[in-house]
Amino acid sequence: MAKRYGAIEAGGTKFVCAVSDGNLNVLKRVKIPTTVPAETMSEVFKFFEENPCDAIGIGSFGPIDVNRNSDTYGYITTTPKEGWANYDFLGEMKKRFDVPYAWTTDVNVAAYGELKRGAAKGLDSCVYLTVGTGVGGGGVVNGKLLEGFGHPEMGHMIMRRHPDDKYEGHCPYHKDCLEGLTAGPAVEARHHGVKAYEIPKDDHDWEIEAYYLAQACMDLTVVLSPEMIIFGGGVSKQEQLFPMMRESFKKQMNGYLKTPDLDKYIVHCALGDDAGITGCLLLAQEEDEKASK
């Protein structure tokens, strides 16, 4: 029988489910609105009932429990998204489909997709930061997903404030963390509700945004020393940010550490919206191969 692999990229706004052939060519893909588990998951279950798979890779919004020794392994945990807190995502899938699973964060699967088939192809490590409605980060180090007791929450690194920035930050937990200062809602709040894509590209607020994103790159560089830092998400589509980020990174690092050429170190994602699904399918294939040994 020809192999089939499944992917679930579970986002806070929408789920993307896909099935591929054994070479990871996508055969079918659907988008499902993220409402409440009873509604969203019934559509997910229906998709995989109609498209049976040999293994499934799941990358979910979080926080989630990735600790295999935990009683709540496979759960979405403390999310503020209504109905999803303490939801046994992996357990509900396993009840219905007896196949091997990969289970990690949505940003980890995107990092893995970019490492294997995207901007970081041929490298052993990368960090992926998505800057959109929220900010999240995933990483791959020595070819392995970055996980420990839990998973990274890179969007909640506390930032040193830009001297021109009077905005207090919108994160309900930390105010002026990376997410609180750089996510779409923060960009728009600084501009009194103007949508990010309507803000002029030469506006000073983009320099403030670039300063914080560069600071995050510096923090990640001194902690993880990745071979590449990749940006995705809606805010990252503002191309003028990249030269500003690289220049700000250079100033903030102040010659302390050597890095790859900044044009090849701080980059936009190559796979676009396919990064997460690609990572899920790659991880599903690996789980299937492990189970077959």
Side-chain angles (χ1 to χ4, degrees):
M1 288 286 289
K3 290 287 186 182
R4 292 285 184 270
Y5 297 118
I8 305 173
E9 185 180 12
T13 305
K14 68 178 183 296
F15 276 46
V16 179
C17 298
V19 62
S20 79
D21 62 18
N23 295 317
L24 309 189
N25 299 304
V26 173
L27 303 173
K28 191 171 182 183
R29 177 196 307 239
V30 297
K31 293 179 183 177
I32 301 163
T34 307
T35 56
V36 293
E39 294 174 359
T40 301
M41 293 304 292
S42 66
E43 292 296 313
V44 173
F45 301 148
K46 182 182 173 189
F47 177 82
F48 287 106
E49 282 160 6
E50 293 171 356
N51 299 279
C53 296
D54 294 283
I56 298 173
I58 305 171
S60 176
F61 70 92
I64 65 174
D65 192 339
V66 296
N67 187 335
R68 291 177 182 272
N69 298 318
S70 168
D71 291 340
T72 53
Y73 172 69
Y75 281 61
I76 295 174
T77 57
T78 53
T79 179
K81 188 145 188 71
E82 189 176 346
W84 292 90
N86 301 311
Y87 177 70
D88 185 8
F89 193 140
L90 187 58
E92 291 298 323
M93 288 295 296
K94 285 182 172 180
K95 280 181 193 174
R96 292 163 176 83
F97 310 104
D98 184 19
V99 297
Y101 288 89
W103 165 253
T104 189
T105 63
D106 50 356
V107 276
N108 260 353
V109 291
Y112 203 69
E114 287 287 344
L115 184 88
K116 295 293 186 180
R117 295 201 168 188
K121 188 175 179 181
L123 304 180
D124 289 320
S125 65
C126 72
V127 166
Y128 178 94
L129 283 172
T130 181
V131 187
T133 308
V135 176
V140 186
V141 177
N142 297 326
K144 302 289 184 186
L145 293 177
L146 188 57
E147 293 177 343
F149 179 80
H151 58 78
E153 279 288 349
M154 296 177 190
H156 294 273
M157 292 185 285
I158 302 302
M159 295 281 100
R160 179 162 59 185
R161 302 298 299 260
H162 189 287
D164 297 341
D165 189 17
K166 304 297 184 280
Y167 180 59
E168 66 172 5
H170 82 280
C171 174
Y173 291 95
H174 314 117
K175 290 292 185 193
D176 55 358
C177 60
L178 181 62
E179 178 172 291
L181 293 173
T182 67
V187 174
E188 291 163 14
R190 273 193 203 91
H191 235 79
H192 310 292
V194 176
K195 293 292 180 188
Y197 58 82
E198 295 175 344
I199 299 170
K201 294 188 185 302
D202 60 355
D203 193 284
H204 181 53
D205 281 357
W206 291 120
E207 289 184 32
I208 293 173
E209 179 81 1
Y211 169 84
Y212 291 130
L213 296 176
Q215 188 181 149
C217 290
M218 191 184 124
D219 291 345
L220 292 164
T221 299
V222 297
V223 173
L224 294 174
S225 193
E227 292 166 278
M228 185 177 284
I229 299 174
I230 303 164
F231 282 86
V235 175
S236 301
K237 291 176 181 175
Q238 298 287 333
E239 293 177 4
Q240 74 276 13
L241 279 171
F242 286 87
M244 289 191 279
M245 277 195 282
R246 292 171 190 133
E247 185 60 31
S248 183
F249 176 91
K250 191 175 175 181
K251 283 181 185 171
Q252 293 184 61
M253 185 60 82
N254 199 25
Y256 182 64
L257 279 183
K258 188 178 179 182
T259 64
D261 182 299
L262 294 184
D263 287 342
K264 296 176 182 176
Y265 185 56
I266 298 171
V267 304
H268 195 253
C269 58
L271 298 177
D273 294 338
D274 289 332
I277 285 295
T278 302
C280 287
L281 292 170
L282 285 160
L283 290 166
Q285 183 182 49
E286 288 180 16
E287 289 300 322
D288 181 49
E289 287 169 355
K290 282 185 210 167
S292 301
K293 284 180 181 175

